Structures are given as structure tokens and as C-alpha cells.
């Protein structure tokens, strides 16, 4: 179930762009929304925070309180709010654990990837540390009060064939609309290189592909998708379209597939964004940096 959502805010309209989608998701499921704002202390001459930060913290408290009340009045929701102090990403993740949130919904920057802005580097840190699934929405360049909630009708779920990659099925099913959304389960396999005649004097500019072996590999991968496709269909009560693509560059293949097939959301498991030695994490990071689509991420340890 998707009944408890947490939305980090920083006082900007950019961060507030996550609210329409978060409200839509939780309202449809008669759930609860919580807003969290983190005050970042600035140590000063041995003090935990600068003496003049009390005014800023008071303004932050008024902002988050007013925003929660406005949402509650406008949407008829139970909207909680919390102001905490500390490292932003750490406190967002801590609050998600304490409130037993099912999902963190936040805005991050678009095609330029994770910038140094608040919800750029913070989004990266939240994804890396969170023990709660994270839905990252892109900058929609508009007034949050006039931005429509996103409707995830076509959801792309990349899988590498491992049980861990199925961990996203639960939360992906939760954000889908029963009987309305459609899932595409995509497996990307590496083409089988052809045997190269090493006596050729100049070699090859690029490795040729063994088409017959690659097609056999694609057929095997398609058969292996049958079981996870049935599982996802049963969990989501939605149609599932299993697909296989051959590419040496999984992240590029996933993004290109999503663009060609008008996908609304990419949902996948990651072992930790920014962990360069993790192939799944590396793919997720490259997708986040190269795609403008919303991205739903969870880790193998999560439901």
C-alpha cells in the first residue's frame, strides 16, 4: 500500500513542484502526507548555529506550517509537517524511517542531472542513503499551484534478470493505476561478439556481432521474462509487456527505449546511486543524468 508519503521542501517553488503528484498519489489511496523542512545549522565561534539563525528558523517554521495548512484546506487531506535541524539528506532519510513513510517524493533537476542546487546534490544523497523508495520528479518550470499531477500510465521497469531487480515491483505497482497503467518489463542483454580473425592486419574499428548467437540470447532472455512478467501483472493488476533489447550500453538503451515508447516513469532497483562499482547503481545514475523522465528508485533491501 501507498498510504504515507514524505515530501522534502526548502521554501522554494521548485521543491513544491513535487506536491501535486504527491497529493494525487496519497489522496487516491486515502493516505497521509507529511512535509519536512530541514534547517541547516551554520556553526559559529564554537556555537552549534549562528546567533542570527533563530529568525531564519522561525521563518522556516512558519513556512512549513502554512504550507501544510494550505494543502490540508485545499485537498481535504491530513497533512503533517516537521521542521528538523541537521544535514538535509540525513534528516530527510531519518524522518522517512521514523514516520514509516512508504515513499519519498522530491524534485530534482532535469537533463543536466544532479546539479549543486539544493534538490540536486541532496537528491543524490537521499537516494544513496534512503531505506525508503524515492520518486524523483523533474523540473516542470512552472507555478506548483498550476502544475498538474503526473499520471503514470506507461511505466518502464528495467530488469537485469536478478531477483534483486524485482524488488521495485511492489512500489512500482503502488504508484500505478490499477487496470489503467501499463508496464513494460525491459531486459537489456549484451550482443555476442563474433570470433575475429586475429591474423587480419588492421583489425576492426568496432567488434562485429554474432547475429545468430545474439538472437538466441535474446530468445532465452525473453523466456526468462515470463515468470517476472506474471509476477508483476499479479501484483499490479495491470498489463505487462515483456521486451528484450541488445546493447553494450544498458543505460543508453533504456533511455532510448523510454523515449521511443512514450514512457511516463522509469522504475528500477539500484544498489546505491553513486556507487561506481555497482553495475545496477551505475546504470541508475546514468539514467538519472541523461533522461528527463521521472525516476522511481528502490534498493534490493526494500520491498
Amino acid at each position: 500500500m501507498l498510504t504515507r508519503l514524505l515530501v522534502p521542501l526548502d521554501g522554494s517553488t521548485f521543491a513544491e513542484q513535487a506536491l501535486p503528484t504527491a497529493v494525487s498519489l496519497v489522496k487516491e489511496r486515502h493516505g497521509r502526507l507529511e512535509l519536512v523542512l530541514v534547517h541547516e545549522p551554520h556553526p559559529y565561534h564554537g556555537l552549534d548555529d549562528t546567533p542570527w539563525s533563530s529568525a531564519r528558523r522561525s521563518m522556516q517554521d512558519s513556512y512549513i506550517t502554512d504550507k501544510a495548512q494550505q494543502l490540508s484546506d485545499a485537498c481535504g487531506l491530513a497533512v503533517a509537517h516537521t521542521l528538523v535541524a541537521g544535514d538535509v539528506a540525513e534528516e530527510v532519510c531519518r524522518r522517512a524511517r521514523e514516520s514509516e513513510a512508504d515513499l519519498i517524493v522530491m524534485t530534482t533537476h532535469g537533463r543536466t542531472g544532479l546539479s549543486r542546487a539544493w534538490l540536486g546534490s541532496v537528491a543524490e544523497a537521499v537516494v544513496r542513503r534512503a531505506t525508503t523508495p524515492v520518486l524523483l520528479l523533474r523540473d516542470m518550470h512552472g507555478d506548483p499551484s498550476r502544475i498538474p499531477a503526473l499520471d503514470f500510465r506507461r511505466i518502464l521497469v528495467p530488469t537485469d534478470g536478478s531477483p534483486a531487480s524485482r524488488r521495485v515491483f511492489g512500489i512500482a505497482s503502488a504508484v500505478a493505476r490499477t487496470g489503467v497503467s501499463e508496464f513494460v518489463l525491459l531486459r537489456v542483454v549484451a550482443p555476442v561478439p563474433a570470433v575475429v580473425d586475429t591474423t587480419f592486419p588492421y583489425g576492426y574499428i568496432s567488434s562485429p556481432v554474432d547475429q545468430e548467437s545474439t538472437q538466441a540470447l535474446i530468445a532465452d532472455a525473453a523466456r526468462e521474462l515470463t515468470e517476472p512478467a506474471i509476477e508483476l501483472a499479479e501484483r499490479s493488476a495491470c498489463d505487462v509487456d515483456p521486451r528484450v533489447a541488445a546493447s553494450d550500453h544498458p543505460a543508453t538503451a533504456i533511455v532510448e527505449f523510454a523515449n521511443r515508447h512514450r514512457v511516463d516513469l522509469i522504475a528500477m532497483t539500484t544498489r546505491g546511486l553513486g556507487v561506481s562499482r555497482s553495475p545496477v547503481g551505475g546504470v541508475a545514475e546514468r539514467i538519472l543524468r541523461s533522461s528527463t523522465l521521472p525516476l522511481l528508485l528502490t534498493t534490493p533491501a526494500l520491498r
Side-chain angles (χ1 to χ4, degrees):
M1 291 294 290
L2 193 63
T3 57
R4 296 179 298 274
L5 271 65
L6 183 73
V7 179
L9 298 178
D10 66 347
S12 69
T13 55
F14 173 74
E16 291 175 11
Q17 290 180 23
L19 291 174
T21 298
V23 167
S24 176
L25 287 171
V26 77
K27 189 173 183 179
E28 186 173 329
R29 293 154 182 81
H30 307 288
R32 180 175 181 271
L33 180 66
E34 180 174 342
L35 312 180
V36 60
L37 192 153
V38 182
H39 170 80
E40 294 183 90
H42 297 282
Y44 177 79
H45 287 283
L47 299 174
D48 292 336
D49 201 0
T50 55
W52 50 85
S53 282
S54 57
R56 182 164 62 95
R57 183 159 184 165
S58 177
M59 290 175 61
Q60 290 172 328
D61 184 52
S62 296
Y63 163 79
I64 200 74
T65 301
D66 292 345
K67 185 58 61 178
Q69 188 62 56
Q70 290 169 13
L71 280 178
S72 181
D73 293 343
C75 306
L77 289 174
V79 182
H81 63 280
T82 304
L83 176 66
V84 293
D87 175 80
V88 178
E90 182 178 335
E91 294 303 322
V92 167
C93 293
R94 187 200 307 277
R95 185 56 202 159
R97 292 192 303 270
E98 291 175 348
S99 65
E100 298 182 334
D102 299 308
L103 182 66
I104 299 170
V105 184
M106 60 194 303
T107 314
T108 188
H109 292 274
R111 218 161 177 59
T112 54
L114 299 175
S115 76
R116 296 180 181 272
W118 187 87
L119 281 173
S121 58
V122 169
E124 181 180 11
V126 167
V127 171
R128 188 186 300 119
R129 303 178 193 180
T131 56
T132 303
V134 181
L135 174 59
L136 296 172
L137 306 179
R138 305 302 188 162
D139 187 356
M140 287 169 275
H141 306 286
D143 182 346
S145 66
R146 298 184 179 181
I147 291 176
L150 297 179
D151 190 10
F152 304 125
R153 288 178 176 259
R154 192 167 178 82
I155 303 173
L156 177 63
V157 182
T159 175
D160 60 8
S162 68
S165 64
R166 299 192 197 184
R167 290 288 186 176
V168 77
F169 286 6
I171 189 63
S173 298
V175 302
R177 295 181 61 190
T178 302
V180 176
S181 297
E182 177 190 12
F183 284 93
V184 180
L185 191 61
L186 179 65
R187 173 83 181 273
V188 179
V189 297
V192 180
V195 177
V196 179
D197 183 357
T198 57
T199 63
F200 189 75
Y202 300 106
Y204 287 87
I205 296 175
S206 61
S207 299
V209 174
D210 184 329
Q211 296 294 343
E212 183 176 349
S213 297
T214 298
Q215 289 304 313
L217 181 63
I218 290 173
D220 288 342
R223 284 190 291 271
E224 292 172 0
L225 280 180
T226 300
E227 183 184 344
I230 291 173
E231 177 188 343
L232 181 55
E234 291 177 345
R235 297 190 70 164
S236 64
C238 295
D239 291 338
V240 178
D241 180 14
R243 299 287 192 96
V244 180
S247 175
D248 287 317
H249 307 285
T252 301
I254 291 167
V255 172
E256 290 179 350
F257 184 97
N259 292 337
R260 286 197 310 270
H261 294 83
R262 298 182 179 181
V263 165
D264 301 307
L265 172 69
I266 300 174
M268 64 187 300
T269 307
T270 174
R271 295 194 181 100
L273 194 64
V275 182
S276 59
R277 299 193 179 200
S278 165
V280 178
V283 169
E285 182 174 8
R286 286 190 287 274
I287 290 173
L288 179 57
R289 292 180 182 274
S290 61
S291 172
T292 57
L293 290 170
L295 187 59
L296 175 62
L297 296 172
T298 190
T299 70
L302 302 179
R303 53 192 180 279

